[in-house]
Amino acid sequence: MTTLTYSVPGISCGHCRTAITEEVTQVERVTGVEVDLDAKRVTVQGSDVDDAAVRAAIDEAGYDVAA
Ligand SMILES: [Cu+2]
C-alpha cells in the first residue's frame, strides 16, 4: 500500500475536489483519493501507484502540483 501526497495550491472548492478526484481515480492501481480543501492537499492511496501518472492526472484536471 502506497500513500502519496501532493500540494495543490489551486484547490479552492468542491468543484476542484470533484475534478481532481475524477481524474486521479482513473490512474492505474489507485484505490482511494482524498482532497483536503483547507490544506489544499491531495492524498492518493493504492498499491504501487505511479507518481508521474498521478501528477499527469492532476495536470489533466487543470491544476498544478506545487512540489
Ligand atoms: Cu474549485
Side-chain angles (χ1 to χ4, degrees):
M1 188 72 152
T2 316
T3 302
L4 301 169
T5 59
Y6 303 87
S7 176
V8 184
I11 292 171
S12 61
C13 68
H15 165 78
C16 303
R17 173 160 50 202
T18 301
I20 291 172
T21 301
E22 280 182 0
E23 286 296 335
V24 176
T25 298
Q26 295 173 44
V27 175
E28 275 184 57
R29 297 182 294 277
V30 166
T31 56
V33 182
E34 268 182 53
V35 178
D36 185 325
L37 296 183
D38 294 325
K40 303 188 187 304
R41 186 173 57 218
V42 178
T43 304
V44 179
Q45 290 189 321
S47 139
D48 208 13
V49 175
D50 181 0
D51 173 62
V54 175
R55 289 172 182 273
I58 294 172
D59 182 70
E60 187 68 28
Y63 298 88
D64 292 323
V65 177

